[in-house]
Amino acid sequence: MAMRAEAFHVQPLSLTPSPLRSTEQNLQLPEATESLSRRKIIGQFSSLVMFPILTGATPALAESEEAYVRTPSPNDKFKFSYTITPPPSFAPGNKPLKTHLDEINFSIPDVRGYTLGVTVDPVRIASIKDFGTPEEIAAKVVTAEVNRDGVFQVTLAKDPVEDSAGCYDIEYISDGKRGKKRFGTRIYIQDGFLYVLTVQSKEAEFDEAREKEVQACIKSFRPL
């Protein structure tokens, strides 16, 4: 289903690290369910690259549309599902350590610094607006990122927006010991689940073609 693209404008928000404020202090989020600690839900809004973990959920690839569909197995306690169309040549992987209810990471074999990941966690709130406005959530994301070890500065690349699909889109640039990186994030809350997509690219490689590719991927992401 096609989604209306939102217009972005440069947002002049830039932060440098403040060692006096923890990530938990920066992100004043509502309490999560017993399956998700407050620390974990806060972690959803940081810029950590989402590496995969395969739970009982069953992924499927719709070849005609090149869409990746994630659905639960009949025995899963938590019933969630979503679809996303990764850029060409991206393939899912897995991870031995579980840090979210569900995690999938996509990357291109032998290509470093260009990845995307999707995480899913249960939450008690019913709407993304209960977390705050797009600007408030973007400020929390930026502050959480800038307080990560080795990060020098974080700047919003575009104005955060609420998409017509009812989600928030946030794009920012993180400059640190490992170089300058561009992050694009889409956040949904639907039917008791927090869905977070994060796409990461080296800033030096984020040209017009890659930006178009990333935006198409972000717009394709939605819960089912």
Side-chain angles (χ1 to χ4, degrees):
M1 179 177 66
M3 297 182 182
R4 178 174 60 86
E6 298 288 343
F8 288 94
H9 303 285
V10 174
Q11 165 64 272
L13 172 61
S14 177
L15 297 178
T16 52
S18 172
L20 301 179
R21 302 186 65 189
S22 68
T23 300
E24 284 195 351
Q25 291 171 325
N26 291 327
L27 297 179
Q28 302 298 322
L29 302 181
E31 181 183 2
T33 67
E34 62 181 3
S35 301
L36 179 65
S37 71
R38 190 168 183 273
R39 182 178 298 274
K40 286 183 180 179
I41 192 172
I42 286 169
Q44 285 280 21
F45 292 97
S46 73
S47 65
L48 291 174
V49 179
M50 312 295 187
F51 290 98
I53 176 165
L54 301 180
T55 64
T58 303
L61 186 63
E63 294 182 359
S64 60
E65 298 178 359
E66 299 180 351
Y68 183 91
V69 179
R70 189 81 164 152
T71 57
S73 69
N75 296 327
D76 283 343
K77 175 182 177 181
F78 296 100
K79 305 299 182 182
F80 63 89
S81 60
Y82 64 84
T83 181
I84 185 171
T85 302
S89 302
F90 271 64
N94 57 23
K95 166 190 172 183
L97 179 63
K98 181 173 182 176
T99 55
H100 298 272
L101 172 66
D102 187 70
E103 300 179 57
I104 292 291
N105 188 74
F106 297 80
S107 61
I108 303 174
D110 302 322
V111 174
R112 297 175 62 87
Y114 188 26
T115 62
L116 71 89
V118 178
T119 65
V120 182
D121 284 298
V123 292
R124 288 179 178 173
I125 67 175
S127 169
I128 185 70
K129 294 181 180 180
D130 291 336
F131 276 137
T133 66
E135 292 77 14
E136 289 170 341
I137 296 303
K140 293 174 181 178
V141 170
V142 168
T143 305
E145 169 68 6
V146 81
N147 278 282
R148 289 182 57 210
D149 186 40
V151 175
F152 307 143
Q153 187 178 44
V154 182
T155 306
L156 281 177
K158 299 176 179 178
D159 285 340
V161 297
E162 180 178 2
D163 189 85
S164 59
C167 57
Y168 289 174
D169 290 342
I170 302 168
E171 188 172 327
Y172 59 97
I173 300 169
S174 178
D175 190 4
K177 292 180 179 178
R178 297 186 178 181
K180 187 175 291 188
K181 301 175 183 179
R182 175 78 63 120
F183 291 90
T185 300
R186 170 161 283 201
I187 305 167
Y188 281 97
I189 290 180
Q190 181 171 304
D191 298 329
F193 291 98
L194 171 67
Y195 297 84
V196 179
L197 163 67
T198 301
V199 184
Q200 172 187 293
S201 171
K202 294 179 181 178
E203 178 63 13
E205 298 175 358
F206 196 77
D207 56 14
E208 184 177 349
R210 179 162 293 185
E211 180 178 17
K212 182 178 180 181
E213 187 174 81
V214 167
Q215 288 301 315
C217 172
I218 290 175
K219 296 300 180 184
S220 75
F221 176 59
R222 60 183 176 86
L224 297 175

